[in-house]
Amino acid sequence: MSALESLSWGITYPPALDFGQQLSREQLLNSMQMTMSRHEGGPVWLFAYGSLIWRPECQSVERQRARVHGYHRGLYLWSHEHRGTPETPGLVFGLDRGGSCSGFAYRLEDSNLDESLMALWQREMPYPAYRPHWLSCRLDDGSKVQALGFVLERHLPCYAGNLPDTLLSQILASAKGRYGTTKDYVEQTLNALRSHQMPDRNLEARFRRCHNLHEPIRG
């Protein structure tokens, strides 16, 4: 795909991506230990807002629908492996500042907590694109818990931000990586949210809108 310049947005596609080197196991362990040192104690909860809803990484002993305030879900992170390639990058979800986000909270099993967390870090943090953060999370039963979530790092080149519909439409039509297309990834997440009676109506409306943009973008 040839380079595309969106004059009104100042965006070039494909972008010049530099994810840096993958984090070593020691770096992942240090990140995990620093994050856990900020935990207030008690059960460890994980907030799932994207693929962790329909493809969880860790064994859990409890799952509840949940919501966090102050962050929202968006297709704001470039993907050059899982849902795209360096030549045709795709997008994956991340938590960004503002609004609120529905999802699931998983209470992780204590007996194999370290193994579960390392598997989670290896999946979510191969590159330092996210910042592990403890979120204030309201569960479906009305209680509040401190839940681990992965928040976007806006200052890094892998942060795509809120792209225009014309570009998002092109990415949904073409980006494919090791685990499939960006389009399938979005559809699976929307279907999972809808099936549990917590649809993301803004994301669904945008997904439909981008499907209606049939005219391909030409470089």
Side-chain angles (χ1 to χ4, degrees):
M1 184 183 300
S2 60
L4 161 75
E5 181 72 21
S6 176
L7 296 178
S8 59
W9 289 73
I11 297 167
T12 299
Y13 184 83
L17 293 178
D18 181 9
F19 281 72
Q21 289 189 335
Q22 283 190 283
L23 298 181
S24 66
R25 184 177 178 85
E26 182 180 3
Q27 289 172 314
L28 290 172
L29 184 60
N30 287 339
S31 171
M32 188 179 85
Q33 290 172 341
M34 286 181 61
T35 302
M36 293 307 297
S37 72
R38 300 192 298 270
H39 186 238
E40 295 175 355
V44 176
W45 291 83
L46 168 68
F47 182 67
Y49 56 86
S51 62
L52 285 171
I53 295 175
W54 44 269
R55 190 168 64 87
E57 189 67 46
C58 310
Q59 291 186 345
S60 63
V61 293
E62 183 180 355
R63 184 182 79 162
Q64 287 198 46
R65 294 189 302 181
R67 179 172 291 274
V68 298
H69 290 273
Y71 294 93
H72 67 281
R73 171 179 36 242
L75 281 169
Y76 300 154
L77 181 64
W78 291 115
S79 175
H80 69 321
E81 287 187 17
H82 294 170
R83 298 291 170 173
T85 65
E87 296 75 25
T88 309
L91 293 165
V92 292
F93 289 117
L95 287 179
D96 206 358
R97 298 194 298 265
S100 66
C101 182
S102 60
F104 273 106
Y106 298 95
R107 181 163 63 88
L108 303 185
E109 197 169 11
D110 289 334
S111 61
N112 62 344
L113 181 60
D114 287 346
E115 293 84 352
S116 293
L117 290 173
M118 177 52 72
L120 182 66
W121 250 255
Q122 288 173 327
R123 170 170 165 171
E124 300 294 318
M125 295 283 292
Y127 301 94
Y130 294 110
R131 173 172 52 89
H133 187 61
W134 293 104
L135 303 164
S136 177
C137 182
R138 182 177 291 277
L139 304 181
D140 206 31
D141 64 9
S143 61
K144 286 186 177 181
V145 298
Q146 185 188 36
L148 175 65
F150 292 88
V151 176
L152 287 168
E153 293 277 36
R154 284 188 168 196
H155 66 281
L156 296 177
C158 51
Y159 176 76
N162 192 15
L163 298 174
D165 283 357
T166 50
L167 181 49
L168 180 56
S169 177
Q170 184 74 5
I171 294 167
L172 291 171
S174 59
K176 182 178 182 180
R178 180 188 304 171
Y179 296 130
T181 66
T182 295
K183 177 176 175 289
D184 287 345
Y185 166 83
V186 176
E187 285 184 324
Q188 285 177 288
T189 303
L190 290 175
N191 289 338
L193 290 167
R194 197 182 306 117
S195 70
H196 291 98
Q197 291 77 53
M198 48 181 179
D200 187 327
R201 301 196 186 281
N202 289 334
L203 185 61
E204 286 194 353
R206 190 169 191 213
F207 189 63
R208 287 194 301 269
R209 194 165 68 241
C210 289
H211 264 297
N212 291 330
L213 297 176
H214 297 301
E215 186 66 25
I217 299 172
R218 304 186 187 279

